[in-house]
Amino acid sequence: MFSKNLPSVEPRVYIVGAGPGDPDLLTVKAQKLLAVADVILFADSLIPAQILDLCRADAEIIRTANKTLEEIVPLMTERVRSHKSVVRLHSGDPSLYSAIHEQMYLLSEANIPFEVIPGISAFQAAAAKLQVELTVPGLVQTIILTRISGRTEVPATEELATLAAHQASLCLYLSARHVEDAQAKLLEHYPAETQVAICFRVGWPDEKIRVVPLKEMADCTHKEQLIRTTLYIISPALSPATGRSRLYHPEHHHLFRSSH
Ligand SMILES: C[S@@+](CC[C@H](N)C(=O)[O-])C[C@H]1O[C@@H](n2cnc3c(N)ncnc32)[C@H](O)[C@@H]1O
């Protein structure tokens, strides 16, 4: 049941997924927390400023783009110890490439209570914009969320070429700076004509989405000068629709639709 009440916030850190950028894609819980929190921390490079319109006019806003974790955690700790509620915004969903693992470790060490609120990840927002299902029966039933090695090393067992061998719907984060390398590794297994959606700042006012064959992925990225905030979706499901799901098929019977 949808509750219109604002939550009574505790002095703790709320690690909140802010979604891909469009304020309308915040969860109701994220909006409610933003409306009441005493302190909001957010990375200006990843979260559009409009999201701050939802905050209390007197909330303390701390921008973190130029701060290290060693600076951010003591800031949050000090505020919570002063009985303030702190919202730490992360883009998309915090479970993906958000560096919350070490933040939660340090907060636990300092005995600071925290809670994690999920958000819509970039791959979900991109799939919605593309109007595709990434799991089409008879075609592809697996989604891989990954990245290429950059400053953060990807373990050898998760090497992109190895994952490409599955020919699943592959959502590639944080990889625009290494797009030639990514394309070469993907081409080891995906056919060159496989469609790739290049999704820049989905949900932001300057959003750009291009769908090209895999062999043109790097060229298109360079032509459009995309370096940051770009997600690639490589998937057989991006080709024109084929097949249909068993779930709504007249011959498929289940608990809520029995055969007569
Ligand atoms: C630090 S990671 C954060 C991912 C985030 N936690 C998520 O669930 O979407 C940043 C990367 O996520 C992807 N990303 C995040 N927001 C995006 C958006 N609005 N449009 C396209 N890609 C996005 C890009 O690959 C970007 O380089």
Side-chain angles (χ1 to χ4, degrees):
M1 180 74 166
F2 177 78
S3 145
K4 289 186 180 157
N5 301 332
L6 291 176
S8 59
V9 279
E10 306 284 330
R12 65 174 57 174
V13 176
Y14 294 88
I15 298 172
V16 176
D22 177 353
D24 286 348
L25 291 182
L26 281 165
T27 63
V28 174
K29 193 155 187 173
Q31 288 179 47
K32 287 180 172 181
L33 285 168
L34 283 170
V36 293
D38 299 309
V39 185
I40 321 283
L41 287 99
F42 82 112
D44 0 0
S45 53
L46 290 172
I47 313 258
Q50 301 94 288
I51 285 190
L52 298 183
D53 294 346
L54 302 164
C55 303
R56 258 173 40 198
D58 62 341
E60 183 188 8
I61 308 290
I62 303 178
R63 293 166 199 268
T64 59
N66 59 356
K67 293 191 175 25
T68 63
L69 190 65
E70 287 67 24
E71 294 169 308
I72 295 169
V73 173
L75 277 175
M76 297 196 290
T77 304
E78 190 276 320
R79 301 307 188 274
V80 173
R81 288 194 177 136
S82 314
H83 305 285
K84 292 186 172 163
S85 53
V86 175
V87 165
R88 169 77 172 113
L89 281 177
H90 287 273
S91 71
D93 182 71
S95 70
L96 283 169
Y97 309 120
S98 296
I100 63 167
H101 180 78
E102 53 266 47
Q103 261 182 78
M104 294 190 295
Y105 173 77
L106 293 172
L107 291 172
S108 300
E109 288 280 288
N111 273 322
I112 298 295
F114 60 85
E115 197 176 320
V116 182
I117 315 297
I120 293 183
S121 184
F123 89 93
Q124 295 163 305
K129 276 286 161 83
L130 290 158
Q131 301 185 331
V132 290
E133 177 175 358
L134 296 173
T135 55
V136 176
L139 195 61
V140 56
Q141 286 290 286
T142 302
I143 301 173
I144 295 174
L145 309 177
T146 191
R147 60 169 299 169
I148 203 159
S149 280
R151 268 178 299 180
T152 306
E153 277 290 309
V154 173
T157 48
E158 299 163 29
E159 224 275 315
L160 189 57
T162 314
L163 299 180
H166 297 286
Q167 295 190 34
S169 288
L170 192 145
C171 306
L172 193 59
Y173 287 74
L174 293 160
S175 299
R177 282 179 200 276
H178 306 280
V179 65
E180 280 93 5
D181 189 18
Q183 177 177 316
K185 288 182 166 144
L186 292 165
L187 279 171
E188 288 182 31
H189 295 284
Y190 287 92
E193 296 303 322
T194 307
Q195 299 292 287
V196 177
I198 306 173
C199 309
F200 171 74
R201 298 234 261 190
V202 177
W204 290 60
D206 55 353
E207 166 187 293
K208 257 187 215 173
I209 298 185
R210 304 282 180 268
V211 181
V212 299
L214 175 54
K215 62 185 182 191
E216 292 169 25
M217 174 176 164
D219 275 356
C220 181
T221 303
H222 293 312
K223 205 171 87 207
E224 300 286 353
Q225 299 183 312
L226 306 179
I227 299 170
R228 315 187 67 234
T229 326
T230 301
L231 172 84
Y232 298 94
I233 301 184
I234 301 95
S235 176
L238 289 170
S239 299
T242 50
R244 74 176 276 185
S245 162
R246 297 293 304 162
L247 189 59
Y248 296 103
H249 198 282
E251 286 168 17
H252 180 75
H253 307 295
H254 58 68
L255 191 60
F256 300 105
R257 201 180 59 230
S258 55
S259 60
H260 296 289

